[in-house]
């Protein structure tokens, strides 16, 4: 692979590097720890799309990701409330705001993001509440299918422009790798 190809695919290269570092750091995690850790982070994915959709500009994508990561890891460090519950709550609040105020990408964009929050939030929260063996499948499905969600935002004309294309590419790769990683734990 030449330098130009790597430069053009920097989101994919970054995603693989971050996933590899995370996988190495969590290699000794138990099944329960992996399900809980990834299940608590999963609702961040649709929350980012909802917030960026309401901001209305893809250039806000990477800063919103930074803020979301600070939120989720800060909540995990405090260990007072479930990060997943907080993020689903925030997402629902932002969706309500979009319903009342209007959405920059129109009602269709708002409804599609609502479907994402409901689907991925349900997979995460259910995965956290059930037995870890079943939770693993639910959380892995959430991560894997969010990777497809990212690809849809890259490929489908009506979804383009909600998030930065570099983010959608990066997130698709991270999500798919995490989904596969979780299934390999079995």
């Amino acid at each position: 692979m030449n330098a130009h190809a790597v430069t053009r695919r920097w989101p994919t290269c970054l995603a693989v590097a971050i996933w590899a570092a995370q996988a190495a750091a969590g290699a000794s995690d138990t099944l329960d720890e992996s399900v809980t850790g990834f299940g608590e982070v999963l609702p961040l994915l649709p929350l980012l799309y909802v917030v960026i959709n309401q901001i209305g500009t893809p250039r806000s994508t990477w800063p919103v990701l930074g803020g979301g990561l600070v939120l989720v890891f800060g909540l995990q460090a405090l260990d007072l409330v479930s990060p997943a519950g907080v993020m689903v709550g925030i997402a629902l609040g932002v969706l309500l705001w979009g319903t009342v105020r209007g959405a920059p990408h129109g009602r269709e964009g708002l409804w599609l993001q609502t479907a994402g929050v409901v689907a991925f939030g349900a997979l995460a929260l259910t995965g956290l509440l059930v037995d870890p063996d079943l939770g693993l499948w639910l959380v892995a499905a959430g991560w894997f299918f969010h990777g497809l969600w990212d690809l849809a935002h890259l490929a489908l004309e009506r979804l383009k422009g909600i998030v930065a294309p570099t983010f959608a590419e990066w997130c698709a790769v991270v999500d798919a790798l995490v989904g596969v990683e979780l299934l390999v734990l079995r």
Side-chain angles (χ1 to χ4, degrees):
M1 183 179 292
N2 66 31
H4 179 67
V6 170
T7 303
R8 223 180 41 237
R9 295 279 61 101
W10 71 263
T12 295
C13 296
L14 179 63
V16 171
I18 289 172
W19 171 81
Q22 169 281 132
S28 63
D29 286 354
T30 66
L31 174 68
D32 190 41
E33 290 169 333
S34 293
V35 171
T36 300
F38 286 115
E40 290 287 1
V41 176
L42 178 58
L44 175 63
L45 308 176
L47 171 61
L48 295 173
Y49 276 82
V50 165
V51 169
I52 296 160
N53 182 63
Q54 275 312 110
I55 292 171
T57 177
R59 73 175 171 267
S60 67
T61 303
W62 290 99
V64 170
L65 171 64
L69 291 172
V70 168
L71 172 68
V72 72
F73 293 121
L75 288 170
Q76 284 179 331
L78 291 173
D79 198 26
L80 298 173
V81 295
S82 164
V86 169
M87 287 183 288
V88 169
I90 292 170
L92 293 174
V94 173
L95 290 169
L96 179 61
W97 170 40
T99 301
V100 172
R101 175 185 166 260
H105 296 283
R107 292 274 179 221
E108 181 184 21
L110 183 65
W111 286 113
L112 284 168
Q113 299 314 316
T114 300
V117 167
V118 170
F120 301 116
L123 285 168
L125 294 175
T126 305
L128 289 167
L129 294 173
V130 299
D131 177 76
D133 288 324
L134 175 57
L136 172 78
W137 290 97
L138 295 172
V139 171
W143 280 88
F144 183 77
F145 286 118
H146 195 273
L148 296 177
W149 182 261
D150 297 316
L151 291 176
H153 281 78
L154 258 178
L156 299 177
E157 201 57 46
R158 69 178 174 204
L159 295 176
K160 286 182 179 179
I162 291 177
V163 297
T166 54
F167 173 80
E169 177 183 334
W170 173 83
C171 197
V173 174
V174 168
D175 295 352
L177 289 171
V178 168
V180 169
E181 175 187 352
L182 283 166
L183 294 179
V184 170
L185 289 174
R186 293 223 11 106

